Amino acid sequence: MATTARQGPYFCGIDAAMDVVSGKWKVLILWELHHHGTRRFAELRRGLPGVSEKMLIQHLREMEEDGLVHREVYREVPPKVEYSLTEDGVALNTALAPLGDWGTERMRRTGAAKVR
Amino acid sequence: MATTARQGPYFCGIDAAMDVVSGKWKVLILWELHHHGTRRFAELRRGLPGVSEKMLIQHLREMEEDGLVHREVYREVPPKVEYSLTEDGVALNTALAPLGDWGTERMRRTGAAKVR
DNA sequence: TCGGGTACTCACCTCTTGGTAAGTGGTCGG
DNA sequence: CCGACCACTTACCAAGAGGTGAGTACCCGA
């Protein structure tokens, strides 16, 4: 994904949505931003145990490019950057809700483990 | 994915759902089976231009293992195998609908190309 | 008899994804 | 003066996702 292509011809809407959402941490970032509103880089990193800084940035950049998250840079001396969801990102999150319910139900049935 | 792990600890329901749905052709298979009810292997292959036989089988097997699709083998001389969605697969498809709408809307806005 | 269709399996190879670890420049607390 | 924190960037590397092409056992139509 990422560097090249993207926006490639899609079969249907789900296909297009999956393109934007595929990436190990993307939906988790969405979820985190949705629940906390605005978060700084280090806050996100701490909120997603196991994520590498490289992937976090890469995903955030792609999601910014895709118009899902807004990136606000404060030119202060200890650098400060705040990430938040755009309208589009909020809509995506809403559209993901039923899928989340399905997954939760499935976890309950299969007894899958949960992190934190 | 696939051979090892799976059912790994999840952060939330969306995470669990994404695990089951991640794979280049999975949502398309879901979509195809949902729209046609029951399909044979070759019909699916023809319905998803570009899919390789290897991936199609691999995905179908994983989805069967995950309880999303049902596989019915007819012991006839020209081999015949029919695939259909389970209740769980239908529910997943329903849960994916809003995401599909979001993606369709997005395609409209960005003017992304569509296959076939 | 030749080709095509059925539903696969297998071996091999490539490209992408994602992880690790180090470096950057500045500031603040102890 | 040492280390930690901030928000990154860069180079390198391993695993795996997915593609290609061949083979299989059988039958049917031309």
Side-chain angles (χ1 to χ4, degrees), chain B residues 60-105:
Chain B
L60 284 169
R61 289 284 147 85
E62 286 172 18
M63 292 166 79
E64 191 192 354
E65 213 176 303
D66 288 335
L68 302 178
V69 314
H70 174 70
R71 182 164 174 268
E72 187 81 33
V73 183
Y74 297 86
R75 295 207 135 278
E76 303 174 355
V77 173
K80 179 177 168 186
V81 180
E82 283 185 347
Y83 294 93
S84 54
L85 291 183
T86 61
E87 263 188 51
D88 223 28
V90 173
L92 174 54
N93 223 310
T94 306
L96 280 170
L99 190 61
D101 294 343
W102 183 89
T104 304
E105 176 61 16

Short mmCIF file of all heavy atoms in Angstrom, two decimals, chain B residues 60-105:
data_model
loop_
_atom_site.label_atom_id
_atom_site.label_comp_id
_atom_site.label_asym_id
_atom_site.label_seq_id
_atom_site.Cartn_x
_atom_site.Cartn_y
_atom_site.Cartn_z
N LEU B 60 -11.32 -19.11 0.78
CA LEU B 60 -12.54 -19.87 1.05
C LEU B 60 -12.34 -20.82 2.23
O LEU B 60 -13.20 -20.95 3.09
CB LEU B 60 -12.96 -20.65 -0.20
CG LEU B 60 -13.63 -19.81 -1.31
CD1 LEU B 60 -13.75 -20.60 -2.60
CD2 LEU B 60 -15.00 -19.31 -0.84
N ARG B 61 -11.16 -21.45 2.26
CA ARG B 61 -10.88 -22.38 3.35
C ARG B 61 -10.84 -21.66 4.70
O ARG B 61 -11.37 -22.13 5.71
CB ARG B 61 -9.52 -23.08 3.11
CG ARG B 61 -9.54 -24.07 1.99
CD ARG B 61 -10.22 -25.37 2.37
NE ARG B 61 -10.92 -25.98 1.23
CZ ARG B 61 -10.35 -26.78 0.32
NH1 ARG B 61 -9.09 -27.10 0.42
NH2 ARG B 61 -11.05 -27.25 -0.69
N GLU B 62 -10.18 -20.49 4.71
CA GLU B 62 -10.09 -19.73 5.95
C GLU B 62 -11.46 -19.26 6.41
O GLU B 62 -11.79 -19.30 7.59
CB GLU B 62 -9.17 -18.51 5.76
CG GLU B 62 -7.70 -18.88 5.71
CD GLU B 62 -6.82 -17.68 5.33
OE1 GLU B 62 -7.30 -16.54 5.45
OE2 GLU B 62 -5.68 -17.90 4.91
N MET B 63 -12.28 -18.84 5.43
CA MET B 63 -13.61 -18.35 5.78
C MET B 63 -14.50 -19.49 6.24
O MET B 63 -15.40 -19.29 7.07
CB MET B 63 -14.21 -17.61 4.58
CG MET B 63 -13.49 -16.31 4.27
SD MET B 63 -13.89 -15.62 2.66
CE MET B 63 -15.47 -14.85 3.00
N GLU B 64 -14.25 -20.68 5.73
CA GLU B 64 -15.01 -21.84 6.18
C GLU B 64 -14.62 -22.14 7.64
O GLU B 64 -15.47 -22.35 8.50
CB GLU B 64 -14.68 -23.04 5.29
CG GLU B 64 -15.61 -24.22 5.49
CD GLU B 64 -15.08 -25.48 4.81
OE1 GLU B 64 -14.06 -25.38 4.08
OE2 GLU B 64 -15.66 -26.56 5.03
N GLU B 65 -13.29 -22.08 7.87
CA GLU B 65 -12.76 -22.32 9.21
C GLU B 65 -13.32 -21.29 10.21
O GLU B 65 -13.56 -21.61 11.37
CB GLU B 65 -11.24 -22.21 9.15
CG GLU B 65 -10.49 -23.11 10.09
CD GLU B 65 -8.99 -22.97 9.86
OE1 GLU B 65 -8.52 -23.18 8.72
OE2 GLU B 65 -8.29 -22.62 10.81
N ASP B 66 -13.51 -20.08 9.73
CA ASP B 66 -14.01 -19.00 10.59
C ASP B 66 -15.53 -19.05 10.70
O ASP B 66 -16.13 -18.17 11.32
CB ASP B 66 -13.57 -17.64 10.03
CG ASP B 66 -12.07 -17.41 10.24
OD1 ASP B 66 -11.50 -18.02 11.16
OD2 ASP B 66 -11.48 -16.63 9.47
N GLY B 67 -16.15 -20.03 10.03
CA GLY B 67 -17.60 -20.17 10.14
C GLY B 67 -18.38 -19.13 9.35
O GLY B 67 -19.53 -18.83 9.70
N LEU B 68 -17.80 -18.59 8.29
CA LEU B 68 -18.50 -17.58 7.51
C LEU B 68 -19.17 -18.18 6.28
O LEU B 68 -20.22 -17.73 5.86
CB LEU B 68 -17.53 -16.48 7.06
CG LEU B 68 -16.77 -15.73 8.15
CD1 LEU B 68 -15.83 -14.73 7.54
CD2 LEU B 68 -17.76 -15.06 9.09
N VAL B 69 -18.51 -19.18 5.69
CA VAL B 69 -19.10 -19.81 4.50
C VAL B 69 -19.29 -21.31 4.73
O VAL B 69 -18.57 -21.93 5.51
CB VAL B 69 -18.23 -19.59 3.22
CG1 VAL B 69 -17.78 -18.16 3.09
CG2 VAL B 69 -17.04 -20.51 3.18
N HIS B 70 -20.27 -21.83 4.01
CA HIS B 70 -20.55 -23.26 4.07
C HIS B 70 -20.11 -23.90 2.76
O HIS B 70 -20.29 -23.33 1.69
CB HIS B 70 -22.05 -23.47 4.26
CG HIS B 70 -22.45 -24.91 4.19
ND1 HIS B 70 -22.11 -25.82 5.17
CD2 HIS B 70 -23.13 -25.60 3.25
CE1 HIS B 70 -22.58 -27.01 4.83
NE2 HIS B 70 -23.19 -26.91 3.67
N ARG B 71 -19.48 -25.07 2.86
CA ARG B 71 -18.94 -25.74 1.68
C ARG B 71 -19.64 -27.07 1.51
O ARG B 71 -19.58 -27.92 2.39
CB ARG B 71 -17.43 -25.94 1.86
CG ARG B 71 -16.74 -26.59 0.69
CD ARG B 71 -15.24 -26.39 0.83
NE ARG B 71 -14.52 -27.12 -0.21
CZ ARG B 71 -14.07 -28.37 -0.05
NH1 ARG B 71 -14.24 -28.97 1.09
NH2 ARG B 71 -13.45 -28.98 -1.04
N GLU B 72 -20.33 -27.22 0.38
CA GLU B 72 -21.09 -28.44 0.12
C GLU B 72 -20.48 -29.16 -1.07
O GLU B 72 -20.46 -28.64 -2.20
CB GLU B 72 -22.55 -28.07 -0.19
CG GLU B 72 -23.49 -29.26 -0.31
CD GLU B 72 -23.94 -29.77 1.05
OE1 GLU B 72 -24.07 -28.94 1.98
OE2 GLU B 72 -24.14 -31.00 1.19
N VAL B 73 -19.97 -30.37 -0.83
CA VAL B 73 -19.33 -31.13 -1.91
C VAL B 73 -20.30 -32.16 -2.46
O VAL B 73 -20.89 -32.92 -1.70
CB VAL B 73 -18.08 -31.86 -1.39
CG1 VAL B 73 -17.38 -32.58 -2.53
CG2 VAL B 73 -17.14 -30.89 -0.71
N TYR B 74 -20.45 -32.19 -3.77
CA TYR B 74 -21.28 -33.21 -4.42
C TYR B 74 -20.35 -34.20 -5.10
O TYR B 74 -19.59 -33.84 -6.00
CB TYR B 74 -22.20 -32.56 -5.47
CG TYR B 74 -23.20 -31.60 -4.86
CD1 TYR B 74 -22.86 -30.27 -4.63
CD2 TYR B 74 -24.46 -32.03 -4.49
CE1 TYR B 74 -23.77 -29.39 -4.05
CE2 TYR B 74 -25.38 -31.17 -3.92
CZ TYR B 74 -25.02 -29.85 -3.71
OH TYR B 74 -25.92 -28.98 -3.13
N ARG B 75 -20.40 -35.45 -4.65
CA ARG B 75 -19.48 -36.47 -5.18
C ARG B 75 -19.96 -36.93 -6.54
O ARG B 75 -20.44 -38.06 -6.70
CB ARG B 75 -19.39 -37.65 -4.21
CG ARG B 75 -18.75 -37.31 -2.87
CD ARG B 75 -18.08 -38.52 -2.24
NE ARG B 75 -16.75 -38.20 -1.70
CZ ARG B 75 -15.65 -38.13 -2.42
NH1 ARG B 75 -15.67 -38.35 -3.71
NH2 ARG B 75 -14.48 -37.86 -1.85
N GLU B 76 -19.82 -36.06 -7.53
CA GLU B 76 -20.21 -36.41 -8.88
C GLU B 76 -18.98 -36.52 -9.73
O GLU B 76 -17.87 -36.21 -9.29
CB GLU B 76 -21.13 -35.32 -9.45
CG GLU B 76 -22.37 -35.10 -8.60
CD GLU B 76 -23.19 -33.93 -9.10
OE1 GLU B 76 -22.74 -33.25 -10.04
OE2 GLU B 76 -24.28 -33.70 -8.54
N VAL B 77 -19.19 -36.95 -10.96
CA VAL B 77 -18.02 -37.19 -11.79
C VAL B 77 -17.36 -35.93 -12.31
O VAL B 77 -16.16 -35.79 -12.17
CB VAL B 77 -18.37 -38.16 -12.94
CG1 VAL B 77 -17.20 -38.27 -13.91
CG2 VAL B 77 -18.65 -39.54 -12.34
N PRO B 78 -18.07 -34.98 -12.88
CA PRO B 78 -17.39 -33.69 -12.95
C PRO B 78 -17.56 -33.09 -11.58
O PRO B 78 -18.69 -32.87 -11.16
CB PRO B 78 -18.17 -32.90 -14.01
CG PRO B 78 -19.23 -33.84 -14.52
CD PRO B 78 -19.37 -34.93 -13.51
N PRO B 79 -16.49 -32.91 -10.84
CA PRO B 79 -16.61 -32.46 -9.45
C PRO B 79 -17.47 -31.22 -9.32
O PRO B 79 -17.45 -30.35 -10.18
CB PRO B 79 -15.16 -32.18 -9.03
CG PRO B 79 -14.34 -32.22 -10.26
CD PRO B 79 -15.08 -33.01 -11.26
N LYS B 80 -18.23 -31.14 -8.24
CA LYS B 80 -19.10 -29.99 -8.01
C LYS B 80 -19.06 -29.60 -6.54
O LYS B 80 -19.29 -30.44 -5.67
CB LYS B 80 -20.53 -30.35 -8.43
CG LYS B 80 -21.52 -29.22 -8.22
CD LYS B 80 -22.90 -29.63 -8.73
CE LYS B 80 -23.96 -28.65 -8.27
NZ LYS B 80 -25.31 -29.11 -8.63
N VAL B 81 -18.72 -28.35 -6.28
CA VAL B 81 -18.67 -27.85 -4.92
C VAL B 81 -19.43 -26.54 -4.87
O VAL B 81 -19.22 -25.68 -5.72
CB VAL B 81 -17.22 -27.63 -4.46
CG1 VAL B 81 -17.19 -27.12 -3.04
CG2 VAL B 81 -16.42 -28.91 -4.57
N GLU B 82 -20.32 -26.43 -3.92
CA GLU B 82 -21.10 -25.20 -3.80
C GLU B 82 -20.76 -24.47 -2.52
O GLU B 82 -20.72 -25.07 -1.45
CB GLU B 82 -22.59 -25.51 -3.84
CG GLU B 82 -23.09 -25.80 -5.24
CD GLU B 82 -24.61 -25.97 -5.26
OE1 GLU B 82 -25.21 -26.09 -4.18
OE2 GLU B 82 -25.16 -25.98 -6.36
N TYR B 83 -20.56 -23.17 -2.65
CA TYR B 83 -20.26 -22.33 -1.49
C TYR B 83 -21.44 -21.42 -1.22
O TYR B 83 -22.06 -20.89 -2.15
CB TYR B 83 -19.01 -21.49 -1.75
CG TYR B 83 -17.75 -22.31 -1.89
CD1 TYR B 83 -17.30 -22.74 -3.13
CD2 TYR B 83 -17.01 -22.65 -0.76
CE1 TYR B 83 -16.14 -23.50 -3.26
CE2 TYR B 83 -15.85 -23.40 -0.88
CZ TYR B 83 -15.42 -23.82 -2.13
OH TYR B 83 -14.28 -24.56 -2.24
N SER B 84 -21.74 -21.23 0.07
CA SER B 84 -22.80 -20.30 0.45
C SER B 84 -22.44 -19.67 1.80
O SER B 84 -21.55 -20.15 2.49
CB SER B 84 -24.13 -21.04 0.54
OG SER B 84 -24.00 -22.14 1.43
N LEU B 85 -23.14 -18.60 2.15
CA LEU B 85 -22.87 -17.94 3.43
C LEU B 85 -23.59 -18.65 4.56
O LEU B 85 -24.71 -19.13 4.39
CB LEU B 85 -23.33 -16.48 3.37
CG LEU B 85 -22.54 -15.52 2.47
CD1 LEU B 85 -23.10 -14.11 2.59
CD2 LEU B 85 -21.07 -15.53 2.82
N THR B 86 -22.94 -18.71 5.70
CA THR B 86 -23.62 -19.18 6.90
C THR B 86 -24.39 -18.00 7.49
O THR B 86 -24.27 -16.88 7.01
CB THR B 86 -22.60 -19.67 7.95
OG1 THR B 86 -21.77 -18.57 8.31
CG2 THR B 86 -21.73 -20.78 7.39
N GLU B 87 -25.15 -18.26 8.54
CA GLU B 87 -25.86 -17.18 9.23
C GLU B 87 -24.87 -16.10 9.66
O GLU B 87 -25.12 -14.91 9.53
CB GLU B 87 -26.54 -17.73 10.48
CG GLU B 87 -28.01 -18.08 10.29
CD GLU B 87 -28.66 -18.43 11.61
OE1 GLU B 87 -28.52 -17.64 12.58
OE2 GLU B 87 -29.28 -19.51 11.70
N ASP B 88 -23.74 -16.58 10.18
CA ASP B 88 -22.71 -15.67 10.65
C ASP B 88 -22.16 -14.83 9.50
O ASP B 88 -21.89 -13.64 9.67
CB ASP B 88 -21.57 -16.50 11.27
CG ASP B 88 -21.09 -15.90 12.55
OD1 ASP B 88 -21.90 -15.23 13.23
OD2 ASP B 88 -19.90 -16.07 12.88
N GLY B 89 -21.98 -15.45 8.36
CA GLY B 89 -21.50 -14.73 7.19
C GLY B 89 -22.49 -13.68 6.74
O GLY B 89 -22.10 -12.56 6.38
N VAL B 90 -23.77 -14.03 6.79
CA VAL B 90 -24.81 -13.08 6.41
C VAL B 90 -24.79 -11.89 7.37
O VAL B 90 -24.87 -10.73 6.96
CB VAL B 90 -26.20 -13.74 6.42
CG1 VAL B 90 -27.30 -12.71 6.21
CG2 VAL B 90 -26.28 -14.83 5.36
N ALA B 91 -24.65 -12.20 8.67
CA ALA B 91 -24.60 -11.13 9.68
C ALA B 91 -23.40 -10.22 9.44
O ALA B 91 -23.51 -9.00 9.54
CB ALA B 91 -24.54 -11.74 11.07
N LEU B 92 -22.28 -10.82 9.11
CA LEU B 92 -21.09 -10.02 8.83
C LEU B 92 -21.33 -9.10 7.65
O LEU B 92 -20.98 -7.92 7.67
CB LEU B 92 -19.90 -10.95 8.54
CG LEU B 92 -18.61 -10.27 8.10
CD1 LEU B 92 -18.16 -9.21 9.09
CD2 LEU B 92 -17.50 -11.31 7.91
N ASN B 93 -21.94 -9.64 6.62
CA ASN B 93 -22.23 -8.84 5.44
C ASN B 93 -23.14 -7.68 5.78
O ASN B 93 -22.93 -6.56 5.31
CB ASN B 93 -22.89 -9.73 4.39
CG ASN B 93 -22.33 -9.44 3.02
OD1 ASN B 93 -22.27 -8.29 2.62
ND2 ASN B 93 -21.90 -10.46 2.33
N THR B 94 -24.13 -7.93 6.62
CA THR B 94 -25.04 -6.86 7.05
C THR B 94 -24.26 -5.79 7.79
O THR B 94 -24.47 -4.59 7.59
CB THR B 94 -26.13 -7.44 7.97
OG1 THR B 94 -26.77 -8.52 7.28
CG2 THR B 94 -27.14 -6.39 8.32
N ALA B 95 -23.33 -6.26 8.65
CA ALA B 95 -22.52 -5.31 9.43
C ALA B 95 -21.60 -4.51 8.53
O ALA B 95 -21.17 -3.41 8.87
CB ALA B 95 -21.71 -6.06 10.49
N LEU B 96 -21.29 -5.06 7.37
CA LEU B 96 -20.38 -4.37 6.45
C LEU B 96 -21.12 -3.34 5.58
O LEU B 96 -20.48 -2.46 4.98
CB LEU B 96 -19.68 -5.38 5.54
CG LEU B 96 -18.48 -6.12 6.13
CD1 LEU B 96 -18.04 -7.24 5.20
CD2 LEU B 96 -17.32 -5.15 6.36
N ALA B 97 -22.44 -3.43 5.55
CA ALA B 97 -23.21 -2.57 4.66
C ALA B 97 -22.92 -1.07 4.84
O ALA B 97 -22.64 -0.39 3.85
CB ALA B 97 -24.70 -2.87 4.81
N PRO B 98 -22.96 -0.55 6.09
CA PRO B 98 -22.69 0.89 6.26
C PRO B 98 -21.29 1.26 5.77
O PRO B 98 -21.09 2.34 5.21
CB PRO B 98 -22.79 1.10 7.77
CG PRO B 98 -23.47 -0.09 8.32
CD PRO B 98 -23.28 -1.21 7.37
N LEU B 99 -20.35 0.36 5.98
CA LEU B 99 -19.00 0.61 5.51
C LEU B 99 -18.98 0.71 3.99
O LEU B 99 -18.31 1.55 3.40
CB LEU B 99 -18.07 -0.51 5.98
CG LEU B 99 -16.58 -0.29 5.78
CD1 LEU B 99 -16.10 0.93 6.55
CD2 LEU B 99 -15.78 -1.52 6.19
N GLY B 100 -19.77 -0.17 3.37
CA GLY B 100 -19.88 -0.14 1.92
C GLY B 100 -20.47 1.18 1.43
O GLY B 100 -19.99 1.76 0.45
N ASP B 101 -21.48 1.66 2.15
CA ASP B 101 -22.09 2.93 1.78
C ASP B 101 -21.07 4.06 1.88
O ASP B 101 -20.96 4.90 1.00
CB ASP B 101 -23.28 3.25 2.71
CG ASP B 101 -24.40 2.24 2.52
OD1 ASP B 101 -24.41 1.54 1.49
OD2 ASP B 101 -25.27 2.15 3.41
N TRP B 102 -20.32 4.04 2.98
CA TRP B 102 -19.30 5.06 3.18
C TRP B 102 -18.30 5.03 2.03
O TRP B 102 -17.92 6.06 1.48
CB TRP B 102 -18.58 4.83 4.52
CG TRP B 102 -17.56 5.87 4.86
CD1 TRP B 102 -17.79 7.04 5.54
CD2 TRP B 102 -16.17 5.86 4.53
NE1 TRP B 102 -16.61 7.74 5.66
CE2 TRP B 102 -15.61 7.05 5.05
CE3 TRP B 102 -15.34 4.97 3.85
CZ2 TRP B 102 -14.26 7.36 4.90
CZ3 TRP B 102 -13.99 5.28 3.70
CH2 TRP B 102 -13.47 6.46 4.22
N GLY B 103 -17.89 3.84 1.67
CA GLY B 103 -16.91 3.68 0.59
C GLY B 103 -17.46 4.12 -0.75
O GLY B 103 -16.74 4.76 -1.55
N THR B 104 -18.73 3.82 -0.99
CA THR B 104 -19.35 4.22 -2.24
C THR B 104 -19.40 5.74 -2.33
O THR B 104 -19.05 6.34 -3.36
CB THR B 104 -20.78 3.66 -2.32
OG1 THR B 104 -20.72 2.24 -2.15
CG2 THR B 104 -21.41 3.97 -3.66
N GLU B 105 -19.82 6.35 -1.23
CA GLU B 105 -19.87 7.82 -1.16
C GLU B 105 -18.49 8.41 -1.42
O GLU B 105 -18.32 9.38 -2.16
CB GLU B 105 -20.39 8.22 0.23
CG GLU B 105 -20.43 9.72 0.50
CD GLU B 105 -21.34 10.47 -0.47
OE1 GLU B 105 -22.17 9.81 -1.15
OE2 GLU B 105 -21.21 11.68 -0.58
#
